[in-house]
Amino acid sequence: MGIPGTSPRFRLAAAQAPAPTRRRALGIAGAGLLAAGAGFASAPAASASAVSAEGRAEQGDRPPADGRIDTHHHALPRAMRDWAITMGLLPEEGGPDWARWSLCETLEVMEANHIAAGVASAPVPSIAFRDRAVAAEGVRVCNESLADLVADHPTRFGFFANVAMAHVDLSIEQAAYALDELGADGIIMMTTTEGRYLGDPEFAPLFEELNRRRAVVFVHPQGLPEGGTELPGVPDFIADYPLDTTRAALNLISSGTLDRCPDLSIILSHGGGFLPYAAGRAASAGRQGEGPDEAAVQRALRRFFYDTALPLSPYATPTLLAAADPARILYGTDWPARPAGEVGVITQDLDRDPALDRRTRRRISRDNALRLLPRLTARLGARTSEEREPGCAT
Protein backbone atom coordinates (compact mmCIF):
# COMPACT_ATOMS: atom_id res chain seq x y z
CA MET A 1 0.00 0.00 0.00
CA GLY A 2 1.44 3.33 -1.02
CA ILE A 3 1.39 6.13 1.52
CA PRO A 4 0.98 9.56 -0.07
CA GLY A 5 3.45 12.21 0.90
CA THR A 6 6.06 9.98 2.53
CA SER A 7 8.66 7.34 1.81
CA PRO A 8 8.01 3.70 2.78
CA ARG A 9 9.97 4.48 5.92
CA PHE A 10 8.76 7.80 7.21
CA ARG A 11 11.59 10.22 8.01
CA LEU A 12 11.49 12.89 10.68
CA ALA A 13 12.80 16.05 9.04
CA ALA A 14 15.27 17.96 11.19
CA ALA A 15 13.83 21.22 9.96
CA GLN A 16 10.52 20.33 11.57
CA ALA A 17 11.99 19.85 15.02
CA PRO A 18 10.10 21.99 17.57
CA ALA A 19 11.68 24.69 19.69
CA PRO A 20 12.91 23.71 23.17
CA THR A 21 10.19 25.78 24.80
CA ARG A 22 7.55 23.74 22.98
CA ARG A 23 9.16 20.52 24.14
CA ARG A 24 9.10 21.76 27.71
CA ALA A 25 5.45 22.72 27.40
CA LEU A 26 4.51 19.28 26.15
CA GLY A 27 6.96 17.22 28.16
CA ILE A 28 5.07 17.29 31.43
CA ALA A 29 6.78 14.61 33.49
CA GLY A 30 8.78 13.64 30.38
CA ALA A 31 8.45 9.93 29.81
CA GLY A 32 5.75 9.81 32.46
CA LEU A 33 3.38 11.70 30.16
CA LEU A 34 3.27 8.95 27.57
CA ALA A 35 3.37 6.28 30.25
CA ALA A 36 0.37 7.83 32.00
CA GLY A 37 -1.56 8.33 28.80
CA ALA A 38 -1.15 4.76 27.65
CA GLY A 39 -1.48 3.17 31.05
CA PHE A 40 1.57 1.09 30.19
CA ALA A 41 3.05 -1.10 32.85
CA SER A 42 6.82 -1.17 33.10
CA ALA A 43 7.27 -4.77 34.22
CA PRO A 44 9.87 -6.59 32.10
CA ALA A 45 8.41 -8.76 29.36
CA ALA A 46 8.77 -12.50 29.71
CA SER A 47 9.93 -14.70 26.86
CA ALA A 48 6.98 -15.20 24.56
CA SER A 49 7.82 -18.28 22.48
CA ALA A 50 10.55 -20.49 21.11
CA VAL A 51 10.32 -19.18 17.54
CA SER A 52 13.85 -19.13 16.14
CA ALA A 53 15.42 -15.92 14.89
CA GLU A 54 15.89 -17.48 11.45
CA GLY A 55 12.25 -18.44 11.08
CA ARG A 56 10.72 -15.49 12.90
CA ALA A 57 10.30 -13.11 9.97
CA GLU A 58 8.94 -15.80 7.66
CA GLN A 59 6.52 -17.14 10.26
CA GLY A 60 5.58 -13.64 11.34
CA ASP A 61 4.10 -12.83 7.95
CA ARG A 62 1.90 -15.92 7.96
CA PRO A 63 -1.08 -15.48 10.27
CA PRO A 64 -2.11 -18.58 12.21
CA ALA A 65 -5.08 -20.24 10.56
CA ASP A 66 -8.22 -19.00 12.27
CA GLY A 67 -6.15 -17.12 14.84
CA ARG A 68 -7.37 -14.42 17.21
CA ILE A 69 -7.86 -10.77 16.28
CA ASP A 70 -6.41 -8.46 18.95
CA THR A 71 -8.20 -5.10 18.90
CA HIS A 72 -6.42 -3.64 21.94
CA HIS A 73 -2.88 -3.91 20.62
CA HIS A 74 -0.39 -1.05 20.90
CA ALA A 75 2.71 -0.36 18.81
CA LEU A 76 5.56 2.15 18.84
CA PRO A 77 7.36 2.02 15.47
CA ARG A 78 10.74 3.72 15.22
CA ALA A 79 9.50 6.91 13.52
CA MET A 80 6.95 7.43 16.27
CA ARG A 81 9.51 6.79 18.99
CA ASP A 82 11.96 9.23 17.38
CA TRP A 83 9.25 11.89 17.32
CA ALA A 84 8.42 11.29 20.99
CA ILE A 85 12.10 11.63 21.92
CA THR A 86 12.42 14.83 19.86
CA MET A 87 9.40 16.24 21.67
CA GLY A 88 10.79 15.35 25.08
CA LEU A 89 8.01 12.85 25.72
CA LEU A 90 10.44 9.93 26.00
CA PRO A 91 14.11 9.86 27.06
CA GLU A 92 16.74 8.89 24.52
CA GLU A 93 17.91 6.07 26.78
CA GLY A 94 16.03 4.05 29.34
CA GLY A 95 12.42 4.83 30.04
CA PRO A 96 9.60 2.32 30.37
CA ASP A 97 9.99 -1.12 28.82
CA TRP A 98 7.11 -0.60 26.38
CA ALA A 99 9.06 2.29 24.80
CA ARG A 100 11.51 -0.29 23.49
CA TRP A 101 8.73 -1.95 21.47
CA SER A 102 10.05 -4.30 18.83
CA LEU A 103 8.37 -5.98 15.90
CA CYS A 104 10.16 -9.28 16.51
CA GLU A 105 8.98 -9.55 20.11
CA THR A 106 5.47 -8.51 19.07
CA LEU A 107 5.33 -11.28 16.46
CA GLU A 108 6.58 -13.76 19.06
CA VAL A 109 3.79 -12.76 21.43
CA MET A 110 1.29 -13.11 18.63
CA GLU A 111 2.58 -16.55 17.66
CA ALA A 112 2.62 -17.74 21.27
CA ASN A 113 -1.01 -16.73 21.78
CA HIS A 114 -2.32 -17.76 18.35
CA ILE A 115 -3.06 -14.14 17.37
CA ALA A 116 -3.58 -13.82 13.63
CA ALA A 117 -3.61 -10.02 13.58
CA GLY A 118 -3.34 -7.05 15.90
CA VAL A 119 -5.09 -3.73 15.30
CA ALA A 120 -2.26 -1.42 16.32
CA SER A 121 -2.88 1.88 18.07
CA ALA A 122 -0.84 4.54 19.85
CA PRO A 123 -2.72 6.06 22.80
CA VAL A 124 -0.85 9.36 22.85
CA PRO A 125 -2.10 11.61 25.68
CA SER A 126 -4.28 14.39 24.29
CA ILE A 127 -2.09 17.05 25.93
CA ALA A 128 0.73 16.11 23.54
CA PHE A 129 -1.35 17.52 20.66
CA ARG A 130 -2.42 20.73 22.39
CA ASP A 131 -0.23 22.92 20.15
CA ARG A 132 -1.66 22.97 16.62
CA ALA A 133 1.67 22.74 14.79
CA VAL A 134 2.77 19.87 17.00
CA ALA A 135 -0.60 18.20 16.48
CA ALA A 136 -0.30 18.38 12.71
CA GLU A 137 3.20 16.89 12.71
CA GLY A 138 2.73 14.39 15.53
CA VAL A 139 -0.51 12.87 14.27
CA ARG A 140 1.00 12.51 10.81
CA VAL A 141 4.06 10.73 12.22
CA CYS A 142 1.92 8.40 14.33
CA ASN A 143 -0.51 7.49 11.59
CA GLU A 144 1.99 7.12 8.77
CA SER A 145 4.32 4.98 10.86
CA LEU A 146 1.44 2.64 11.73
CA ALA A 147 0.35 2.62 8.08
CA ASP A 148 3.91 1.61 7.16
CA LEU A 149 3.69 -1.26 9.66
CA VAL A 150 0.50 -2.47 7.99
CA ALA A 151 1.97 -2.03 4.51
CA ASP A 152 4.93 -4.22 5.47
CA HIS A 153 2.79 -6.85 7.22
CA PRO A 154 -0.70 -6.58 5.72
CA THR A 155 -1.96 -9.89 7.07
CA ARG A 156 -0.65 -9.33 10.60
CA PHE A 157 -1.74 -5.79 11.41
CA GLY A 158 -4.44 -3.18 11.03
CA PHE A 159 -4.45 0.18 12.80
CA PHE A 160 -6.56 2.81 14.52
CA ALA A 161 -5.44 6.32 13.57
CA ASN A 162 -4.87 9.24 15.92
CA VAL A 163 -6.58 12.62 15.58
CA ALA A 164 -5.90 15.87 17.43
CA MET A 165 -9.14 16.39 19.37
CA ALA A 166 -8.01 19.80 20.65
CA HIS A 167 -8.34 21.11 17.06
CA VAL A 168 -11.61 19.77 15.72
CA ASP A 169 -11.26 21.13 12.19
CA LEU A 170 -7.79 19.60 11.96
CA SER A 171 -9.00 16.32 13.45
CA ILE A 172 -11.62 16.00 10.71
CA GLU A 173 -8.92 16.44 8.05
CA GLN A 174 -6.69 13.93 9.84
CA ALA A 175 -9.48 11.36 10.06
CA ALA A 176 -10.25 11.74 6.36
CA TYR A 177 -6.59 11.30 5.39
CA ALA A 178 -6.17 8.28 7.65
CA LEU A 179 -9.34 6.55 6.49
CA ASP A 180 -9.22 7.49 2.80
CA GLU A 181 -5.50 7.51 2.03
CA LEU A 182 -3.75 5.44 4.69
CA GLY A 183 -6.40 2.72 4.92
CA ALA A 184 -6.96 2.97 8.69
CA ASP A 185 -9.44 0.55 10.23
CA GLY A 186 -10.79 3.23 12.55
CA ILE A 187 -9.90 6.12 14.85
CA ILE A 188 -8.53 6.05 18.39
CA MET A 189 -9.84 8.74 20.75
CA MET A 190 -8.58 9.43 24.23
CA THR A 191 -11.37 9.83 26.77
CA THR A 192 -10.74 13.53 27.42
CA THR A 193 -9.14 16.56 25.83
CA GLU A 194 -8.31 19.50 28.10
CA GLY A 195 -10.73 18.12 30.67
CA ARG A 196 -13.64 17.69 28.23
CA TYR A 197 -15.10 14.26 27.67
CA LEU A 198 -16.10 12.98 24.24
CA GLY A 199 -19.74 14.06 24.43
CA ASP A 200 -18.78 17.73 24.72
CA PRO A 201 -20.57 19.81 22.04
CA GLU A 202 -17.21 21.04 20.72
CA PHE A 203 -16.49 17.54 19.36
CA ALA A 204 -19.87 17.17 17.65
CA PRO A 205 -18.61 18.03 14.11
CA LEU A 206 -16.00 15.28 14.30
CA PHE A 207 -18.52 12.74 15.51
CA GLU A 208 -20.96 13.76 12.78
CA GLU A 209 -18.30 13.24 10.12
CA LEU A 210 -17.26 9.87 11.52
CA ASN A 211 -20.89 8.82 11.74
CA ARG A 212 -21.34 9.77 8.08
CA ARG A 213 -18.42 7.49 7.29
CA ARG A 214 -19.81 4.68 9.45
CA ALA A 215 -16.43 4.64 11.17
CA VAL A 216 -15.08 2.61 14.08
CA VAL A 217 -13.90 4.57 17.14
CA PHE A 218 -11.66 2.98 19.77
CA VAL A 219 -11.99 4.84 23.10
CA HIS A 220 -8.88 4.65 25.30
CA PRO A 221 -8.51 6.03 28.86
CA GLN A 222 -5.71 8.29 30.02
CA GLY A 223 -6.52 8.82 33.69
CA LEU A 224 -8.97 11.11 35.41
CA PRO A 225 -8.72 14.68 34.07
CA GLU A 226 -8.68 16.19 37.54
CA GLY A 227 -6.02 13.73 38.63
CA GLY A 228 -6.42 10.59 40.68
CA THR A 229 -5.92 10.00 44.36
CA GLU A 230 -2.66 8.21 44.94
CA LEU A 231 -3.16 5.05 46.97
CA PRO A 232 -0.14 3.19 48.33
CA GLY A 233 0.42 0.07 46.28
CA VAL A 234 -2.49 0.80 43.90
CA PRO A 235 -1.40 2.23 40.51
CA ASP A 236 -3.92 4.50 38.82
CA PHE A 237 -4.42 2.12 35.89
CA ILE A 238 -6.12 -0.40 38.22
CA ALA A 239 -9.14 1.75 39.13
CA ASP A 240 -8.83 5.26 37.68
CA TYR A 241 -8.49 4.10 34.08
CA PRO A 242 -11.65 1.94 34.12
CA LEU A 243 -13.48 4.83 35.80
CA ASP A 244 -12.24 7.19 33.07
CA THR A 245 -13.67 4.87 30.41
CA THR A 246 -16.94 4.61 32.36
CA ARG A 247 -17.22 8.39 32.54
CA ALA A 248 -16.58 8.71 28.81
CA ALA A 249 -19.29 6.15 28.03
CA LEU A 250 -21.85 7.80 30.31
CA ASN A 251 -21.00 11.18 28.80
CA LEU A 252 -21.57 9.86 25.28
CA ILE A 253 -24.96 8.58 26.46
CA SER A 254 -26.12 11.59 28.48
CA SER A 255 -25.01 14.12 25.84
CA GLY A 256 -27.07 12.35 23.19
CA THR A 257 -23.96 11.83 21.04
CA LEU A 258 -24.51 8.09 20.82
CA ASP A 259 -28.11 8.45 19.67
CA ARG A 260 -27.23 11.20 17.19
CA CYS A 261 -24.59 8.96 15.61
CA PRO A 262 -26.40 5.67 14.99
CA ASP A 263 -23.92 4.49 12.34
CA LEU A 264 -20.84 4.90 14.52
CA SER A 265 -19.25 1.80 16.08
CA ILE A 266 -17.61 2.61 19.43
CA ILE A 267 -15.26 0.22 21.23
CA LEU A 268 -14.84 0.79 24.97
CA SER A 269 -11.47 -0.27 26.35
CA HIS A 270 -11.08 -2.65 29.26
CA GLY A 271 -14.50 -4.24 29.12
CA GLY A 272 -16.23 -0.87 29.28
CA GLY A 273 -14.64 -0.06 32.60
CA PHE A 274 -17.34 -0.21 35.28
CA LEU A 275 -20.22 0.57 32.92
CA PRO A 276 -21.75 -2.95 32.75
CA TYR A 277 -21.58 -3.27 36.53
CA ALA A 278 -22.89 0.26 37.26
CA ALA A 279 -25.53 0.42 34.50
CA GLY A 280 -28.32 -0.42 36.93
CA ARG A 281 -27.32 2.50 39.11
CA ALA A 282 -27.30 4.83 36.09
CA ALA A 283 -30.74 3.58 35.03
CA SER A 284 -32.08 4.08 38.55
CA ALA A 285 -30.79 7.65 38.58
CA GLY A 286 -32.44 8.23 35.20
CA ARG A 287 -35.80 7.10 36.55
CA GLN A 288 -35.41 9.71 39.27
CA GLY A 289 -34.54 12.44 36.77
CA GLU A 290 -30.99 12.65 38.09
CA GLY A 291 -29.00 10.90 35.39
CA PRO A 292 -29.00 9.67 31.80
CA ASP A 293 -32.34 8.54 30.43
CA GLU A 294 -32.99 4.93 31.44
CA ALA A 295 -33.90 3.85 27.92
CA ALA A 296 -30.78 5.52 26.53
CA VAL A 297 -28.64 3.57 29.00
CA GLN A 298 -30.27 0.30 27.99
CA ARG A 299 -29.78 1.05 24.28
CA ALA A 300 -26.16 2.01 24.82
CA LEU A 301 -25.30 -1.18 26.71
CA ARG A 302 -26.21 -3.25 23.65
CA ARG A 303 -24.78 -0.71 21.22
CA PHE A 304 -21.20 -0.34 22.50
CA PHE A 305 -18.42 -2.77 21.64
CA TYR A 306 -16.21 -3.95 24.50
CA ASP A 307 -12.73 -5.47 24.51
CA THR A 308 -11.54 -8.17 26.91
CA ALA A 309 -8.46 -6.23 28.05
CA LEU A 310 -9.92 -5.47 31.49
CA PRO A 311 -8.96 -8.37 31.52
CA LEU A 312 -12.08 -10.50 31.72
CA SER A 313 -12.27 -12.99 34.54
CA PRO A 314 -14.78 -15.36 36.13
CA TYR A 315 -15.87 -12.31 38.16
CA ALA A 316 -16.40 -9.90 35.26
CA THR A 317 -17.46 -12.10 32.34
CA PRO A 318 -20.99 -12.98 33.54
CA THR A 319 -21.80 -9.31 34.09
CA LEU A 320 -20.50 -8.28 30.69
CA LEU A 321 -22.39 -11.09 28.96
CA ALA A 322 -25.59 -10.08 30.76
CA ALA A 323 -25.22 -6.41 29.84
CA ALA A 324 -23.70 -6.51 26.36
CA ASP A 325 -24.49 -8.13 23.05
CA PRO A 326 -22.05 -11.09 22.85
CA ALA A 327 -21.58 -10.19 19.17
CA ARG A 328 -19.95 -6.93 20.34
CA ILE A 329 -17.25 -8.31 22.62
CA LEU A 330 -13.74 -8.29 21.16
CA TYR A 331 -10.49 -9.98 22.16
CA GLY A 332 -7.87 -7.51 23.43
CA THR A 333 -4.54 -7.97 25.19
CA ASP A 334 -3.24 -4.43 25.92
CA TRP A 335 0.18 -5.51 24.62
CA PRO A 336 2.82 -4.21 25.39
CA ALA A 337 1.27 -2.38 28.35
CA ARG A 338 0.72 -5.91 29.57
CA PRO A 339 4.00 -7.86 29.18
CA ALA A 340 4.35 -11.07 27.23
CA GLY A 341 3.99 -13.46 30.13
CA GLU A 342 0.83 -11.76 31.34
CA VAL A 343 -0.65 -11.73 27.83
CA GLY A 344 -0.32 -15.50 27.92
CA VAL A 345 -1.96 -15.74 31.35
CA ILE A 346 -5.00 -13.63 30.50
CA THR A 347 -5.43 -15.39 27.15
CA GLN A 348 -5.37 -18.80 28.81
CA ASP A 349 -7.81 -17.54 31.44
CA LEU A 350 -10.15 -16.38 28.67
CA ASP A 351 -9.94 -19.78 26.99
CA ARG A 352 -10.84 -21.47 30.29
CA ASP A 353 -13.51 -18.99 31.39
CA PRO A 354 -16.47 -21.13 32.51
CA ALA A 355 -18.97 -18.45 31.44
CA LEU A 356 -18.02 -18.83 27.76
CA ASP A 357 -19.21 -21.65 25.56
CA ARG A 358 -17.28 -22.66 22.45
CA ARG A 359 -19.29 -20.54 20.04
CA THR A 360 -19.14 -17.39 22.19
CA ARG A 361 -15.42 -17.82 22.76
CA ARG A 362 -14.88 -18.13 19.02
CA ARG A 363 -16.93 -15.00 18.32
CA ILE A 364 -15.00 -12.99 20.92
CA SER A 365 -11.60 -14.22 19.79
CA ARG A 366 -12.11 -13.66 16.07
CA ASP A 367 -15.49 -13.50 14.37
CA ASN A 368 -16.83 -10.30 15.95
CA ALA A 369 -13.72 -8.38 14.89
CA LEU A 370 -13.92 -9.75 11.35
CA ARG A 371 -17.44 -8.38 11.01
CA LEU A 372 -16.46 -5.00 12.46
CA LEU A 373 -13.23 -4.43 10.49
CA PRO A 374 -13.82 -5.14 6.79
CA ARG A 375 -10.45 -3.85 5.56
CA LEU A 376 -8.50 -6.15 7.84
CA THR A 377 -10.85 -9.00 7.00
CA ALA A 378 -10.29 -8.48 3.28
CA ARG A 379 -6.51 -8.57 3.72
CA LEU A 380 -6.78 -11.76 5.71
CA GLY A 381 -9.09 -13.28 3.11
CA ALA A 382 -11.03 -14.42 6.14
CA ARG A 383 -14.49 -15.69 6.80
CA THR A 384 -16.17 -16.22 10.15
CA SER A 385 -16.73 -19.64 11.64
CA GLU A 386 -20.46 -19.20 11.27
CA GLU A 387 -20.05 -18.61 7.54
CA ARG A 388 -18.12 -21.86 7.26
CA GLU A 389 -20.11 -23.80 9.81
CA PRO A 390 -23.76 -22.76 9.53
CA GLY A 391 -25.81 -23.79 12.50
CA CYS A 392 -22.79 -24.88 14.56
CA ALA A 393 -23.65 -26.11 18.02
CA THR A 394 -23.16 -23.94 21.06
Side-chain angles (χ1 to χ4, degrees), residues 283-342:
S284 175
R287 290 193 295 271
Q288 301 171 67
E290 296 178 346
D293 177 71
E294 178 187 8
V297 172
Q298 298 299 332
R299 287 194 302 272
L301 283 174
R302 308 294 286 183
R303 161 84 181 278
F304 284 124
F305 288 80
Y306 307 81
D307 70 42
T308 65
L310 186 60
L312 289 189
S313 66
Y315 325 111
T317 307
T319 300
L320 182 58
L321 289 173
D325 181 348
R328 291 173 176 256
I329 303 175
L330 308 164
Y331 173 72
T333 65
D334 215 349
W335 164 261
R338 192 167 277 118
E342 187 62 18

Side-chain angles (χ1 to χ4, degrees), residues 354-366:
L356 301 175
D357 59 39
R358 182 181 67 84
R359 183 186 181 195
T360 303
R361 188 177 298 111
R362 169 74 189 214
R363 294 167 80 184
I364 290 172
S365 294
R366 178 178 175 86

Side-chain angles (χ1 to χ4, degrees), residues 69-156:
I69 309 298
D70 183 0
T71 61
H72 195 136
H73 183 103
H74 301 313
L76 189 72
R78 182 57 184 266
M80 196 187 309
R81 184 176 186 275
D82 287 348
W83 176 80
I85 291 171
T86 300
M87 296 304 300
L89 301 175
L90 285 175
E92 291 190 27
E93 302 292 338
D97 288 332
W98 60 261
R100 294 184 292 276
W101 177 89
S102 78
L103 176 62
C104 284
E105 186 180 14
T106 295
L107 292 173
E108 287 182 350
V109 170
M110 293 169 71
E111 293 291 334
N113 294 282
H114 204 65
I115 298 171
V119 187
S121 60
V124 180
S126 56
I127 191 174
F129 297 141
R130 182 172 54 188
D131 178 273
R132 188 179 181 93
V134 172
E137 176 189 354
V139 167
R140 178 170 55 86
V141 171
C142 290
N143 293 346
E144 292 187 346
S145 63
L146 291 176
D148 274 348
L149 177 65
V150 175
D152 288 344
H153 305 274
T155 63
R156 299 316 305 265

Side-chain angles (χ1 to χ4, degrees), residues 217-377:
V217 171
F218 174 50
V219 175
H220 197 285
Q222 58 182 351
L224 304 180
E226 66 272 22
T229 301
E230 293 294 329
L231 298 174
V234 183
D236 58 0
F237 64 81
I238 294 178
D240 289 356
Y241 278 55
L243 177 57
D244 193 35
T245 298
T246 306
R247 283 178 160 192
L250 290 170
N251 181 244
L252 286 169
I253 298 168
S254 62
S255 66
T257 301
L258 202 61
D259 284 338
R260 288 193 301 272
C261 299
D263 295 322
L264 201 61
S265 298
I266 299 179
I267 305 170
L268 299 178
S269 294
H270 308 122
F274 306 130
L275 180 67
Y277 191 80
R281 185 174 180 86
S284 175
R287 290 193 295 271
Q288 301 171 67
E290 296 178 346
D293 177 71
E294 178 187 8
V297 172
Q298 298 299 332
R299 287 194 302 272
L301 283 174
R302 308 294 286 183
R303 161 84 181 278
F304 284 124
F305 288 80
Y306 307 81
D307 70 42
T308 65
L310 186 60
L312 289 189
S313 66
Y315 325 111
T317 307
T319 300
L320 182 58
L321 289 173
D325 181 348
R328 291 173 176 256
I329 303 175
L330 308 164
Y331 173 72
T333 65
D334 215 349
W335 164 261
R338 192 167 277 118
E342 187 62 18
V343 169
V345 170
I346 65 168
T347 299
Q348 290 176 8
D349 286 348
L350 184 68
D351 285 345
R352 293 192 291 249
D353 195 316
L356 301 175
D357 59 39
R358 182 181 67 84
R359 183 186 181 195
T360 303
R361 188 177 298 111
R362 169 74 189 214
R363 294 167 80 184
I364 290 172
S365 294
R366 178 178 175 86
D367 291 353
N368 294 341
L370 292 178
R371 292 191 182 92
L372 180 64
L373 305 169
R375 286 177 169 168
L376 176 61
T377 302

